[in-house]
Amino acid sequence: MKSALAVEHLQELVRIPTISREDASTTEWQEFDRFAQTLRKLYPLCHSRLERETVLDHSLIFRWRGRASTEPAVLMGHYDVVAATNEGWKRPPFAAELSGKDDEQLIWGRGTLDDKGSVVAILEAVETQLEAGLVPAQDIYLCFGHDEETHGTGAAAIVDLLESRGITPTLVLDEGGAIVDDVFEQVDSPMAVVGVAEKGTAALRLTVDQSGGHASTPPKTPAAVRLAQAIVRLNSRPFPSRLTPTGADLMRLLGEHAGGVTGYLLRNVSWTKALLVPILVRKSDELAAMMRTTQAVTILEGGHAVNAMPERVSAVINVRIAVNSSLDETVKHVTRAINDKRVRVTVDSPGEPSPVSATTGLAWELLRSTIEKSFPGTLVTPYVQNGATDSRHFTRISTGVYRFTPFAMAREVRDTLHARNERMLVSSYLDGIAFYRALIASL
């Protein structure tokens, strides 16, 4: 019965379209208010027994006082989602419909995976532990940002507040890696990939300013062509692939469970990496992205009339900067690859890679052991997360920041993140609640 109610709660919250937008003035903030009000209704003990604060009008902090406050923990997520319309979806993105039966039952909707599923699973776990009368050994903070998908100002403000109070969490757990079983076919066991760091993220703008004129008499190399040539050159010069210490640890762990030549190469990665890295890069885009800075053209702008040559054209390159690199190194690579002084490279929204959290010590061992108990037979491994999360702000106040979403995600499910037909297995959601319950009990 409680499982069915937990599913109903997620459905109700997914149906609230908390879409954050780049231009905050166009965001429907009344939906965010409705979400917060609905939380009060669904989780009365969280609101009556925990201390609740609102930051920047919409981000939420709950403090669950423990028997001590010397080594607090943070469980976090975000409740804003990226935009979605009904077009192309098998089921409406904000209907939160169920399909299938038993272990194959799915819940559909924007935010099920990213990231309302985690937020609601945390609240379900806390509410039930409060019902059971649990008092944690240390303070636990629940931190839910409202604009992770755009600017992350809510999470940054939460960290500012915690920092001003001298709070230095021993463990911070945010969204990130998941339970996967289809990344390395040589390894039969499912893997829990835990992000111990995340790439930096920045937008590089390529701009060409050039004289315009009538389209009937174009110059030899119009601004748009020059920009296109620059993009083609950049695309043909990917960033170098390197294996970080975290990546090497991942390979060694996989090697212990893989046979044949592949297992040998993985186990001995310290001296086989020159051969191994090119193989892994060719294997999949997902693995290639783990080993290098990536670049993707996301926005093209220019022109205002069909018969006029544009005087300014630009492209935005979304770069995800590897942890063994830097923004400065990234800009230098892009500039060299373009090799055209008439293409100006500027940086919007700069962000360096995060520090790497330890894979030894209390926080890691607590997280690792809870995963192993909650998901028997699962290999726990660190990795560097490709995407950016709100947790990057928490590295200012904690050295134990980890990124792990306790849901099983097959590749076809992972591919729906920020895409059409986002969905998750109901059984995975319920397993996630059980994981958070166990982690809270350990804390």
Side-chain angles (χ1 to χ4, degrees):
M1 187 65 174
K2 286 196 175 218
S3 295
L5 193 59
V7 174
E8 290 175 11
H9 290 172
L10 179 57
Q11 287 178 286
E12 185 169 354
L13 292 164
V14 168
R15 287 172 183 145
I16 302 173
T18 49
I19 300 170
S20 59
R21 303 184 186 276
E22 288 291 334
D23 181 356
S25 67
T26 65
T27 298
E28 296 176 341
W29 294 115
Q30 70 273 14
E31 300 295 351
F32 290 71
D33 294 334
R34 183 157 70 100
F35 186 92
Q37 291 163 5
T38 304
L39 291 185
R40 286 186 180 276
K41 178 187 73 172
L42 299 181
Y43 303 106
L45 294 182
C46 287
H47 287 78
S48 63
R49 297 189 189 175
L50 308 188
E51 299 165 18
R52 179 183 181 277
E53 294 180 82
T54 302
V55 179
L56 292 188
D57 296 328
H58 301 289
S59 285
L60 304 172
I61 305 176
F62 295 83
R63 182 186 183 184
W64 188 0
R65 287 186 180 268
R67 293 189 296 274
S69 57
T70 54
E71 296 181 317
V74 172
L75 303 179
M76 59 180 294
H78 66 90
Y79 70 95
D80 62 313
V81 300
V82 295
T85 65
N86 289 355
E87 184 180 357
W89 284 66
K90 294 179 181 178
R91 297 171 184 271
F94 296 105
E97 294 181 2
L98 298 175
S99 69
K101 294 181 179 180
D102 302 324
D103 290 342
E104 299 302 316
Q105 188 174 44
L106 293 163
I107 178 168
W108 298 70
R110 177 62 85 223
T112 49
L113 294 175
D114 188 14
D115 184 39
K116 286 181 179 176
S118 290
V119 170
V120 179
I122 290 170
L123 288 167
E124 289 288 331
V126 172
E127 189 80 4
T128 55
Q129 292 289 35
L130 287 169
E131 286 178 0
L134 178 72
V135 178
Q138 295 283 342
D139 284 359
I140 299 176
Y141 291 85
L142 314 181
C143 300
F144 304 132
H146 73 277
D147 62 348
E148 190 270 353
E149 299 292 2
T150 51
H151 305 291
T153 61
I158 288 173
V159 172
D160 289 341
L161 182 61
L162 296 179
E163 187 175 34
S164 72
R165 295 173 179 173
I167 296 166
T168 55
T170 297
L171 169 67
V172 176
L173 183 61
D174 194 11
E175 63 172 331
I179 307 292
V180 299
D181 60 5
D182 51 8
V183 176
F184 292 90
E185 63 268 20
Q186 293 91 350
V187 179
D188 295 329
S189 301
M191 296 167 51
V193 289
V194 180
V196 295
E198 62 184 57
K199 287 182 166 182
T201 180
L204 305 187
R205 185 175 293 274
L206 312 184
T207 305
V208 178
D209 290 307
Q210 201 163 304
S211 298
H214 201 283
S216 62
T217 54
K220 181 179 179 181
T221 308
V225 173
R226 186 175 297 278
L227 179 64
Q229 291 172 340
I231 292 171
V232 170
R233 284 195 294 271
L234 179 58
N235 195 60
S236 66
R237 296 245 342 243
F239 286 78
S241 299
R242 305 167 185 160
L243 198 60
T244 65
T246 300
D249 289 345
L250 169 59
M251 297 304 143
R252 290 189 193 95
L253 177 68
L254 295 174
E256 294 173 5
H257 299 272
V261 175
T262 299
Y264 176 82
L265 293 173
L266 292 170
R267 287 191 299 275
N268 297 281
V269 66
S270 58
W271 57 274
T272 62
K273 58 186 175 183
L275 178 63
L276 185 61
V277 168
I279 294 173
L280 295 174
V281 167
R282 290 194 298 270
K283 197 171 185 62
S284 75
D285 293 339
E286 201 167 28
L287 287 173
M290 289 173 58
M291 298 191 190
R292 64 187 178 204
T293 297
T294 58
Q295 56 198 28
V297 180
T298 55
I299 298 175
L300 293 168
E301 296 174 326
H304 61 276
V306 296
N307 61 348
M309 303 299 299
E311 296 179 323
R312 168 172 287 187
V313 293
S314 67
V316 174
I317 314 295
N318 182 274
V319 292
R320 301 299 170 114
I321 306 166
V323 295
N324 52 3
S325 185
S326 65
L327 178 58
D328 182 63
E329 186 176 297
T330 299
V331 173
K332 287 178 179 177
H333 173 94
V334 169
T335 303
R336 285 195 301 266
I338 290 171
N339 193 29
D340 187 340
K341 293 182 179 179
R342 297 192 65 174
V343 180
R344 185 158 40 93
V345 181
T346 55
V347 180
D348 296 341
S349 307
E352 297 284 358
S354 77
V356 180
S357 295
T359 53
T360 58
L362 175 64
W364 172 261
E365 290 303 323
L366 181 63
L367 181 57
R368 181 189 59 77
S369 63
T370 304
I371 294 172
E372 290 176 344
K373 291 174 185 175
S374 301
F375 305 96
T378 296
L379 306 178
V380 181
T381 179
Y383 89 120
V384 175
Q385 184 160 307
N386 294 325
T389 69
D390 271 345
S391 69
R392 68 189 185 277
H393 300 291
F394 283 76
T395 59
R396 277 197 280 136
I397 60 173
S398 176
T399 58
V401 178
Y402 301 98
R403 303 150 184 90
F404 174 69
T405 304
F407 304 141
M409 295 188 197
R411 185 180 299 277
E412 64 178 16
V413 171
R414 298 198 301 275
D415 287 345
T416 67
L417 286 162
H418 284 210
R420 295 169 178 168
N421 298 315
E422 184 178 347
R423 61 193 183 275
M424 71 183 302
L425 284 167
V426 169
S427 59
S428 293
Y429 166 59
L430 298 177
D431 287 344
I433 296 172
F435 165 82
Y436 285 119
R437 278 178 54 86
L439 182 62
I440 289 166
S442 298
L443 293 171

